[in-house]
Structure formats: structure tokens, C-alpha cells
């Protein structure tokens, strides 16, 4: 890897540089808030122990998330992958099966695989690329314990239909909203109707705090189990009972500095997302008007994605050259680029998969989809 002789730094790709510029737009008070916390924690033992209790910046961030999603409980943790692992353990899914979409980041299913659950794949909605409720129902077996929806590229899954199916069949409905904080469906935050919703604060996400994630639920018993599994004994005693402490809990707590950072930037991050959504919607409408792509009828379904990525599907044959001319150049990189993703069932060992029906929507969209740089 080439290193600059002048700076000693590894040069960034244009895509990485754009991401770094986005990170640099954090609220002006973030640095001051972090420095103030570090100074206070060095001299004040109570301040240094707040995150172990779930108070201070951690408690404040959890309160912000509860209000945003309208959930009874919020628990901030190390990252979204850890949150999903904790959910899989807390729900004792190791002996069962989970219905998941074939298009997702591997981390979305990693926790379920690690506890021994097996996967069933349901096809995606061709518009949203999220788990199709009808396909999820078709994939059900007698061993299914949970449905997993993933908001791929920040487009919200059909919360209402998936929650209805889960309630009808006595299943848990888990919603991976790692890429969709700030997105809405029918006016509700993406994942708000799920039994469990997970989000992320790592690089590229709506709210970037270095690293971190959260799990939210209305279920009191599940929340207690998650606290017991992931938090420090000090928090166990404070929330679960003075004589209750689990020294064998997984240390999945969020770093206190990340909590301070996330709190300070929370409102500003959502404002920045609003600007990104307006820009993405304008580009999307311009592209659709060209007739080169299949329409993305988000407005008809009352969808407002976070646009973690803006993807479109060619209406006919690909013509990146014409689309590039229409969009105009963006810095030193092309606006139109391929979508590097393959179905999870092509990556997961067959011993971990209970089966999947024909996922023709996923296969067809992977042939047609591409990304437009924002």
C-alpha cells in the first residue's frame, strides 16, 4: 500500500474521502463535549463510572432514542452486530429458525448463526429490496421463531405487514434498521412497529459516533434480559434489583465517549439527513424522468428512505454513459457504479440454511440494480 512521503498517511480513495468529508460535518460542539467529558472523568470518579450504571451520556442517548422511535426501552451497545447477537441470545433462538431476506450485510445474520439458529430465506420486495411479507409467510416452517427485516440501503421494510404476520403466527419480529435511522414509512420511524429494532452509529450511518449501536423494544422482560446479558453489574443492581448482578455478562456496552459524541450530534445528524434526503429525491426524480430506470414509487407507499445508498434498476439495457451525461460529474469519480452485493444464501454454508424458496425478485434486481453516488 502506497504511503505519502510528506504526510506519512495512507492516501484515501475518492469514495473514502467523500465519506470522511461527511464525517467532518458533525455538530461544532462535539469536540468540546468530548474534551469536557474526558477532563471531568479524569478527576471525578462518579463521572468515570456513569456508563457502567447506564446514567450520564448513556442514559441521555437512550432517552433520545426512546423518544425518536416511540419505544418503552432503549439500550445502547458497542455496535449493531453486538445488538443483534444479544437479541438472538436473549430470545433463545439457537434451537429455531429465522426467516431473513437474501439481500443484507452479513452482520445482520451473524448473531443468529453464532447461536446456532438456521436460516430460511424469503424473497424481497422488488421496490424496496427488503423482506416481502408474502414471501416471508411462504417461507414459514413449524420451527420458525422469528422474522428478520433488514432496511437495505436505508429503505424501510413493511413494518405493518411484517408485525401483523409475526403476531398472527406467534413470532418475534426483529428489524435491522442499522442503515435507516431517520427514515420513515407512513410517517413512522423505520422499525417502529417491530418487537425489536436495532440501529447503528458507525461510519457512513446517519448518526456517526465512531462506533456504537442500540436495541429498542417495548417488551419489559426482553429488555431485562438484554441488560443482564450486555451491561455491567452496577447497572444490573440499579435497574434489576440490588441483589442481582451478573459478573459473566458480555461486555457489549457502548464506549462513554461515543455516547457523548452521539448525544451532541443527534439533532444535527437528523438535520443533515434531511438535506441528503432532499438531494437524493431530486436526483431520483431526474433519473426517473429520463426513462432509463424503473420508477421508484416511494411516495405512493409513503416511504422516505435515509438513502444510505441511492440505487436504481435499469428499465432496459444499461446505459451508464447517458446517465453520467444527465447527472454530470462528481469530483473525481463516476456517479454511476456497480452494486457489489450477492445473496446471503450464496455465502452462508448450506448446513446453516434450512432452505429458501425461489428468490427471483432478488436475483432479477441484482442483475439490474446500480448505485448513484450522492
Amino acid at each position: 500500500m502506497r504511503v505519502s512521503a510528506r504526510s506519512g498517511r495512507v492516501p484515501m480513495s475518492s469514495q473514502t474521502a467523500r465519506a470522511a468529508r461527511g464525517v467532518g460535518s458533525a455538530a461544532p460542539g462535539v469536540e468540546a463535549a468530548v474534551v469536557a467529558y474526558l477532563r471531568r472523568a479524569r478527576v471525578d470518579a462518579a463521572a468515570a463510572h456513569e456508563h457502567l450504571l447506564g446514567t450520564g451520556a448513556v442514559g441521555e442517548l437512550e432517552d433520545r432514542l426512546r423518544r425518536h422511535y416511540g419505544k418503552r426501552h432503549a439500550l445502547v451497545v458497542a455496535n449493531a452486530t453486538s445488538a443483534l447477537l444479544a437479541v438472538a441470545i436473549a430470545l433463545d433462538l439457537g434451537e429455531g429458525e429465522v426467516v431473513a431476506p437474501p439481500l443484507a450485510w452479513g452482520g445482520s445474520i451473524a448473531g443468529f448463526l453464532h447461536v446456532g439458529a438456521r436460516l430460511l430465506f424469503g424473497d424481497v420486495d422488488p421496490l424496496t429490496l427488503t423482506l416481502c411479507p408474502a414471501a416471508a409467510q411462504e417461507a414459514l416452517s413449524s420451527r420458525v421463531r422469528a422474522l428478520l427485516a433488514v432496511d437495505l440501503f436505508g429503505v424501510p421494510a413493511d413494518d405493518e405487514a411484517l408485525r401483523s404476520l409475526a403476531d398472527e403466527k406467534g413470532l418475534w419480529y426483529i428489524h435491522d434498521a442499522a442503515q435507516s435511522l431517520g427514515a420513515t414509512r407512513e410517517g413512522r420511524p423505520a422499525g417502529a412497529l417491530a418487537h425489536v429494532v436495532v440501529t447503528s452509529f458507525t461510519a457512513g450511518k446517519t448518526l456517526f459516533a465512531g462506533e456504537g449501536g442500540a436495541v429498542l423494544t417495548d417488551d419489559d422482560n426482553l429488555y431485562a434480559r438484554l441488560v443482564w446479558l450486555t451491561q455491567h453489574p452496577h447497572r444490573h443492581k440499579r435497574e434489576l434489583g440490588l441483589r442481582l448482578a451478573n459478573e459473566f455478562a458480555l461486555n457489549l456496552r457502548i464506549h462513554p465517549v461515543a455516547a457523548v459524541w452521539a448525544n451532541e450530534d443527534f439533532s444535527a445528524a437528523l438535520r443533515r439527513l434531511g438535506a441528503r434526503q432532499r438531494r437524493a429525491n431530486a436526483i431520483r426524480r431526474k433519473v426517473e424522468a429520463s426513462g432509463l430506470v424503473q420508477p421508484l414509487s416511494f411516495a405512493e407507499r409513503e416511504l422516505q428512505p435515509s438513502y444510505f445508498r441511492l440505487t436504481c434498476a435499469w428499465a432496459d439495457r444499461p446505459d451508464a454513459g447517458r446517465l453520467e451525461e444527465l447527472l454530470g460529474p462528481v469530483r473525481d469519480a463516476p456517479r454511476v457504479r456497480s452494486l457489489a452485493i450477492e445473496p446471503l444464501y450464496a455465502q452462508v454454508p448450506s448446513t446453516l440454511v434450512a432452505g429458501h424458496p425461489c428468490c427471483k425478485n432478488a436475483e432479477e434486481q441484482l442483475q439490474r440494480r446500480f448505485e448513484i453516488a450522492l
Side-chain angles (χ1 to χ4, degrees):
M1 183 179 292
R2 183 174 59 85
V3 178
S4 167
R6 178 175 296 181
S7 67
R9 298 176 180 173
V10 178
M12 293 185 291
S13 69
S14 57
Q15 185 175 353
T16 305
R18 284 195 298 275
R21 285 191 289 270
V23 169
S25 61
V30 167
E31 185 174 346
V34 169
V35 170
Y37 166 77
L38 293 175
R39 288 175 174 168
R40 186 164 57 95
R42 288 179 63 185
V43 298
D44 183 352
H49 284 75
E50 285 176 342
H51 69 291
L52 302 181
L53 291 158
T55 58
V58 167
E60 181 183 343
L61 179 56
E62 290 174 348
D63 186 56
R64 287 177 182 272
L65 290 163
R66 278 193 297 270
R67 286 185 275 114
H68 177 82
Y69 282 100
K71 290 293 190 185
R72 189 194 309 271
H73 303 292
L75 191 66
V76 289
V77 291
N79 49 58
T81 305
S82 297
L84 288 164
L85 171 61
V87 168
I89 297 171
L91 295 181
D92 193 23
L93 297 178
E95 298 299 320
E97 296 173 353
V98 177
V99 177
L103 302 183
W105 170 249
S108 296
I109 62 170
F112 304 100
L113 297 180
H114 278 290
V115 300
R118 299 181 74 204
L119 299 177
L120 288 166
F121 290 107
D123 206 354
V124 299
D125 180 304
L127 171 67
T128 65
L129 300 187
T130 62
L131 182 63
C132 172
Q137 183 164 12
E138 182 182 342
L140 292 179
S141 77
S142 61
R143 294 175 55 81
V144 169
R145 299 279 309 284
L147 306 177
L148 172 67
V150 181
D151 291 340
L152 188 65
F153 305 134
V155 183
D158 191 343
D159 249 7
E160 187 171 4
L162 289 168
R163 175 60 186 262
S164 177
L165 175 62
D167 287 345
E168 177 189 344
K169 302 297 183 181
L171 308 173
W172 288 97
Y173 169 34
I174 304 163
H175 193 119
D176 180 351
Q179 297 181 354
S180 62
L181 177 62
T184 59
R185 185 159 187 149
E186 298 180 353
R188 293 184 296 266
L193 295 183
H195 293 111
V196 190
V197 59
V198 167
T199 195
S200 170
F201 316 132
T202 195
K205 304 302 194 299
T206 299
L207 177 60
F208 172 59
E211 187 64 276
V215 54
L216 298 100
T217 184
D218 288 323
D219 190 284
D220 297 340
N221 291 330
L222 174 58
Y223 172 73
R225 290 199 295 272
L226 289 168
V227 171
W228 182 256
L229 281 167
T230 68
Q231 301 298 304
H232 192 276
H234 288 350
R235 185 162 185 175
H236 301 160
K237 293 179 180 180
R238 185 177 75 87
E239 295 194 31
L240 306 180
L242 290 176
R243 297 189 177 185
L244 293 176
N246 177 18
E247 293 185 7
F248 303 100
L250 301 173
N251 178 10
L252 300 183
R253 302 184 305 275
I254 195 171
H255 194 287
V257 170
V260 171
W261 182 347
N263 273 319
E264 190 65 30
D265 200 35
F266 196 97
S267 297
L270 292 178
R271 288 195 296 271
R272 292 195 303 273
L273 175 65
R276 180 181 179 86
Q277 289 169 325
R278 290 189 291 274
R279 183 169 69 254
N281 283 326
I283 293 172
R284 175 179 57 78
R285 288 191 291 268
K286 186 175 184 180
V287 169
E288 289 174 338
S290 72
L292 293 172
V293 303
Q294 297 175 350
L296 292 171
S297 51
F298 290 153
E300 294 176 13
R301 300 199 197 181
E302 297 183 66
L303 289 173
Q304 179 55 273
S306 68
Y307 290 111
F308 181 76
R309 297 283 186 272
L310 171 57
T311 72
C312 296
W314 296 109
D316 193 5
R317 290 182 301 177
D319 195 339
R322 280 185 61 195
L323 203 55
E324 289 281 3
E325 291 178 7
L326 175 67
L327 293 169
V330 53
R331 298 187 183 273
D332 57 347
R335 297 293 296 267
V336 179
R337 51 180 179 245
S338 60
L339 200 59
I341 184 173
E342 61 178 318
L344 290 174
Y345 52 72
Q347 306 175 59
V348 176
S350 58
T351 54
L352 303 177
V353 178
H356 65 86
C358 176
C359 295
K360 64 178 183 179
N361 290 339
E363 298 282 358
E364 179 181 352
Q365 287 297 311
L366 287 180
Q367 295 297 316
R368 292 178 173 272
R369 286 268 175 163
F370 61 94
E371 180 183 353
I372 299 177
L374 297 176

